[in-house]
Amino acid sequence: MSAEENLNTLLKENRTFAPPEEFKAKANFNDPDVYKRAEADPEGYWSEQAQKLSWFKSYDKVLDWDPPHAKWFTGGKLNAAYNCVDRHREGPRKNKAAIIWEGEKGNNKIYTYDMLGREVDKTAHMLMELGIKRGDRVAIYLPMIPELPISMLACAKIGAIHTVVFAAYSAKALNDRMSDTDAKLLITADGSLRGGKIIPLKDNADKAVKDTNVEKMLVVGNIGKESNTSWNPDFDVDWGTLKDKMPANPVPNEEMDSEDILYILYTSGTTGKPKGIVHTTGGYLTSVNHSVRSVFDIKEEDVFWCTADIGWVTGHSYVVYGPLSQGATTLMYEGVPNYPERDQFWNVVEKYGVSIFYTAPTSIRMFMKWGPEHTEKHDLSSLRLIGSVGEPINPEAWMWYHKYIGKEKCPIVDTWWQTENGSILIAPLPGITTTKPGSATKPTPGINADILDKNGNSVAPGNGGSLVIKSPWPSMLRTVWGDDERFQNSYYGDYKGVYTSGDVAHKDEDGYFWVLGRDDDVVNVSGHRLGTMELESAIVSHQSVAEAAVIGRSHVVKGQALTAFVTLKEGIKGTEEMKDEVKQEVVKQIGKMARPEEVIFTAGLPKTSSAKIMRRLLRDIAEGRVVGDTSTLEDPAVVEDLKEKYQGKED
Ligand code: PRX
């Protein structure tokens, strides 16, 4: 569906769902006045939220705003690991489950807050033993195993900055990130399990550390003997062996400044290489903690399951820092939804009595495709709230989620936000907001979001424009690591002091936001954000390729799927093998999640007379629409040729 078709369907959507009375009565946030209160005094509101954290020293000032640079809670001292772990060991949560880990083989590990604290301490000792000090960067390339959050929290404890790299990224992508952050240590595993297969993680890590300043590699023995991994005793350190040698005494929580960096996480942009998004300690923790209480309504007895991989921001904020800062029980699952069977997620929900479930529309559409019989095999009555994130959720998927997972009783929170935002910015508060399928509803309290036209005016109801945030918020990115100019231009270049998200959205008569997607060359494949420039440079690095253009085409399950239009060098044949080679090149340069779904060889790419590739036209061709205005094309014959090649092609 094109953005316009999508919009037409969305705006016809008029079903509404008020919060169920029973839910409302018990909700953490059920007084609608909260919005007005936050709007009248945003700093007062955020300060109230910051008070939910434990500060070693209170802040002197809530906000220091020198657009586009913000400092939150200046002068305040705190530690993220203390807030997420040690403070809960001091009270009645000491023996409460902090992390429930479910392995792909059906094995599990449960860490109480006290146990988690001991693991974090041991790991912090290991980091110090390996020479890591406050401010150093530590790269973490681990699958969904407990050592991943434990490593993050251990870094936070001693004041080191972590940069987590999703385990499906290639050696090249890992190398780029370690070089950019100048990481001193890499934490990885011998291998990972995915759908019953072993992925040789350390082989990638070995390639990735070349030409970096990484001094040591700390390797978790996750697979054991079967991994067959190579070993360099001067460089590789075995996690288990080192851990056994570490003392048992606690490691002090470093007193961090509110504005000290907690982590760097890379995300794709419109141009050039991925951006290292910088998040700091006090503001980030305040916002994620606020959202788990408000949007997720987390209570003491909940089991919260966010299905995202920790390699993405959703996992950072809603597997690790959000729920743990609130002393909640967070579930992490190692595997995929269809292994061993297609009912695996519902099996896990039933096994642990998951009460809050948070996933992506692409998974929901996959569940829809598989059919409700898989959900019906399990008792899902423990669920009381369900959420969605990562891309627009189509009303059909929303209704399916409501019916088959939420059993028509769980409110749905469709949450809009980005890596750069750190935490949810637009979403319903489930005890207050009436929801509409397909709309993320309204900005959460304390968030000043709007939709602007090209002249910077708020759009009238019924109109669309650029989705922006007009005031600073605590978990906003502070900069792009090593490139503040890029930060300023990418996010604050359009309107002064106003954050531009790069998304287009629509506002309806009730002031509800309907996010339509990106207005730039960023594609969203199964909730994974990829830059077309990045994909194109990966493809042209293949020796036989002359030129490439990549577009995201609508796809019923993935949201968008990648089509690469490729021009080969003189004399090279566009064979099926060559298509595979092109796809493989992308896997090698970026990672598996970026593999194009299809490759179309073409003699030329449609360009304007100023040599700009007309992506819109390519999208029209790929989505089978009548091609629009081609009057600015340099060579209209190119389009005819492409259309011919595309005829008869379907999903
Ligand atoms: O286009 C929006 C889409 O995902 C983008 C952000 O991607 P990323 O930084 O990888 O973070 C993903 C999860 C926080 C946004 O620019 N997006 C995210 N959530 C939604 C969404 N689009 C519509 N509705 C959402 N709920």
Side-chain angles (χ1 to χ4, degrees):
M1 225 189 286
S2 70
E4 294 88 273
E5 284 165 323
N6 198 8
L7 177 62
N8 286 333
T9 335
L10 282 177
L11 294 185
K12 280 195 207 109
E13 179 56 60
N14 52 17
R15 285 169 285 201
T16 56
F17 296 84
E21 283 308 320
E22 202 193 326
F23 191 99
K24 197 169 159 180
K26 294 187 198 149
N28 290 342
F29 283 61
N30 54 12
D31 178 2
D33 267 358
V34 67
Y35 289 98
K36 276 192 224 126
R37 220 162 38 80
E39 197 182 334
D41 178 15
E43 290 184 28
Y45 182 76
W46 285 119
S47 180
E48 206 182 289
Q49 307 312 319
Q51 291 306 313
K52 307 281 178 191
L53 302 177
S54 301
W55 297 81
F56 299 137
K57 178 183 169 287
S58 190
Y59 38 89
D60 310 312
K61 204 169 164 207
V62 175
L63 172 66
D64 212 328
W65 181 220
D66 178 15
H69 294 109
K71 288 187 183 140
W72 282 87
F73 312 116
T74 44
K77 305 274 181 206
L78 78 171
N79 183 288
Y82 178 72
N83 274 280
C84 291
V85 188
D86 286 346
R87 70 163 170 163
H88 308 303
R89 301 169 77 185
E90 293 161 4
R93 293 185 186 126
K94 181 175 173 181
N95 297 316
K96 171 178 174 175
I99 298 178
I100 297 176
W101 176 82
E102 171 79 3
E104 193 181 86
K105 292 180 173 161
N107 47 332
N108 68 0
K109 286 182 190 166
I110 296 178
Y111 295 85
T112 63
Y113 274 98
D114 202 36
M115 289 161 74
L116 179 64
R118 280 194 291 273
E119 293 294 323
V120 171
D121 277 326
K122 285 257 177 186
T123 309
H125 275 300
M126 290 201 276
L127 295 178
M128 292 189 297
E129 177 72 19
L130 296 170
I132 300 302
K133 291 187 292 295
R134 179 177 174 142
D136 286 343
R137 272 79 59 207
V138 175
I140 307 178
Y141 184 59
L142 283 174
M144 284 290 277
I145 54 175
E147 287 81 356
L148 172 50
I150 289 168
S151 299
M152 293 160 77
L153 293 162
C155 287
K157 182 158 224 186
I158 65 166
I161 299 168
H162 60 71
T163 184
V164 179
V165 181
F166 179 45
Y169 270 118
S170 66
K172 161 98 176 33
L174 175 60
N175 172 279
D176 288 347
R177 285 153 179 74
M178 292 191 297
S179 305
D180 198 50
T181 51
D182 198 22
K184 219 168 148 183
L185 175 73
L186 169 62
I187 306 180
T188 189
D190 49 359
S192 68
L193 273 178
R194 200 102 190 129
K197 287 194 216 92
I198 293 174
I199 317 281
L201 220 52
K202 186 165 180 290
D203 291 355
N204 276 347
D206 285 341
K207 284 184 211 136
V209 288
K210 292 204 178 98
D211 304 320
T212 66
N213 290 329
V214 172
E215 291 166 9
K216 290 278 179 205
M217 182 145 80
L218 183 58
V219 186
V220 178
N222 185 40
I223 302 295
K225 284 200 196 82
E226 282 173 71
S227 72
N228 264 333
T229 187
S230 63
W231 198 260
N232 173 358
D234 296 329
F235 186 74
D236 301 338
V237 179
D238 178 62
W239 175 288
T241 315
L242 184 62
K243 192 176 143 191
D244 284 347
K245 290 189 199 144
M246 293 298 106
N249 61 309
V251 172
N253 291 285
E254 190 75 20
E255 285 206 3
M256 304 304 286
D257 192 272
S258 177
E259 278 300 319
D260 277 336
I261 300 176
L262 177 60
Y263 68 79
I264 303 167
L265 186 62
Y266 283 79
T267 191
S268 298
T270 316
T271 52
K273 55 183 184 129
K275 295 179 270 206
I277 303 300
V278 171
H279 283 296
T280 56
T281 311
Y284 174 78
L285 274 188
T286 298
S287 288
V288 293
N289 178 269
H290 169 248
S291 55
V292 299
R293 287 181 287 110
S294 57
V295 178
F296 291 122
D297 191 51
I298 285 197
K299 304 221 170 61
E300 215 50 77
E301 60 279 14
D302 277 311
V303 176
F304 181 81
W305 183 16
C306 162
T307 67
D309 192 289
I310 295 174
W312 306 112
V313 75
T314 309
H316 277 60
S317 299
Y318 299 111
V319 178
V320 185
Y321 290 111
L324 295 180
S325 69
Q326 187 57 15
T329 299
T330 183
L331 189 142
M332 68 184 278
Y333 175 53
E334 183 183 30
V336 292
N338 58 347
Y339 185 85
E341 298 297 338
R342 287 176 169 179
D343 65 341
Q344 179 56 9
F345 272 19
W346 320 119
N347 182 26
V348 172
V349 167
E350 181 176 338
K351 181 169 175 185
Y352 297 104
V354 171
S355 51
I356 307 173
F357 178 75
Y358 187 39
T359 197
T362 184
S363 310
I364 300 167
R365 290 190 296 260
M366 204 160 58
F367 302 139
M368 269 172 84
K369 208 170 119 183
W370 293 343
E373 60 271 26
H374 303 288
T375 69
E376 283 158 3
K377 268 192 222 157
H378 295 280
D379 176 8
L380 305 185
S381 60
S382 56
L383 290 173
R384 64 178 194 91
L385 177 66
I386 55 181
S388 167
V389 63
E391 46 175 322
I393 178 165
N394 43 311
E396 200 192 346
W398 197 102
M399 289 306 296
W400 193 93
Y401 200 30
H402 172 66
K403 184 165 178 197
Y404 293 104
I405 311 300
K407 308 289 182 194
E408 300 182 343
K409 73 170 170 70
C410 302
I412 296 184
V413 285
D414 172 7
T415 63
W416 178 89
W417 60 296
Q418 312 173 290
T419 307
E420 293 86 342
N421 310 152
S423 68
I424 295 166
L425 299 189
I426 303 180
L429 295 191
I432 300 176
T433 318
T434 292
T435 55
K436 302 184 184 188
S439 168
T441 74
K442 294 191 173 187
T444 51
I447 300 301
N448 183 8
D450 202 354
I451 302 171
L452 302 184
D453 64 18
K454 288 207 167 59
N455 303 320
N457 301 316
S458 288
V459 297
N463 291 336
S466 167
L467 177 55
V468 301
I469 316 293
K470 295 207 280 203
S471 314
W473 67 99
S475 63
M476 63 192 278
L477 78 164
R478 298 300 192 261
T479 187
V480 168
W481 178 259
D483 198 348
D484 195 61
E485 209 178 310
R486 195 170 174 203
F487 158 71
Q488 304 198 24
N489 295 337
S490 306
Y491 304 105
Y492 285 90
D494 290 359
Y495 317 97
K496 198 173 170 357
V498 171
Y499 171 87
T500 304
S501 68
D503 277 12
V504 275
H506 224 80
K507 215 190 264 177
D508 71 13
E509 297 292 335
D510 300 324
Y512 277 45
F513 287 59
W514 299 78
V515 179
L516 303 176
R518 306 286 307 185
D519 74 349
D520 55 13
D521 294 326
V522 170
V523 266
N524 194 328
V525 179
S526 301
H528 297 160
R529 178 169 155 187
L530 301 161
T532 46
M533 276 281 286
E534 215 184 322
L535 292 155
E536 287 158 9
S537 4
I539 295 176
V540 292
S541 62
H542 188 288
Q543 54 181 10
S544 305
V545 173
E547 205 178 20
V550 176
I551 55 114
R553 159 179 74 81
S554 297
H555 187 280
V556 283
V557 175
K558 298 177 176 179
Q560 286 184 301
L562 299 174
T563 300
F565 293 91
V566 176
T567 312
L568 294 171
K569 287 187 180 154
E570 281 291 315
I572 309 277
K573 286 218 169 66
T575 57
E576 286 304 310
E577 289 73 40
M578 186 53 72
K579 284 187 183 173
D580 281 344
E581 277 191 36
V582 167
K583 291 180 186 175
Q584 213 33 50
E585 190 66 34
V586 179
V587 174
K588 198 170 105 195
Q589 301 283 334
I590 304 174
K592 282 193 281 287
M593 66 285 179
R595 187 189 177 93
E597 174 135 321
E598 56 184 348
V599 172
I600 308 284
F601 292 122
T602 163
L605 291 169
K607 287 184 194 152
T608 62
S609 42
S610 58
K612 273 183 109 172
I613 295 175
M614 297 179 79
R615 286 167 204 290
R616 206 192 141 80
L617 203 58
L618 290 173
R619 229 176 341 242
D620 282 343
I621 295 169
E623 291 176 357
R625 275 189 300 281
V626 181
V627 171
D629 181 18
T630 58
S631 57
T632 52
L633 264 182
E634 251 249 304
D635 178 8
V638 166
V639 173
E640 286 313 311
D641 174 53
L642 276 172
K643 264 166 75 184
E644 223 161 82
K645 286 219 166 98
Y646 227 90
Q647 257 162 23
K649 273 192 167 292
E650 274 168 27
D651 276 356

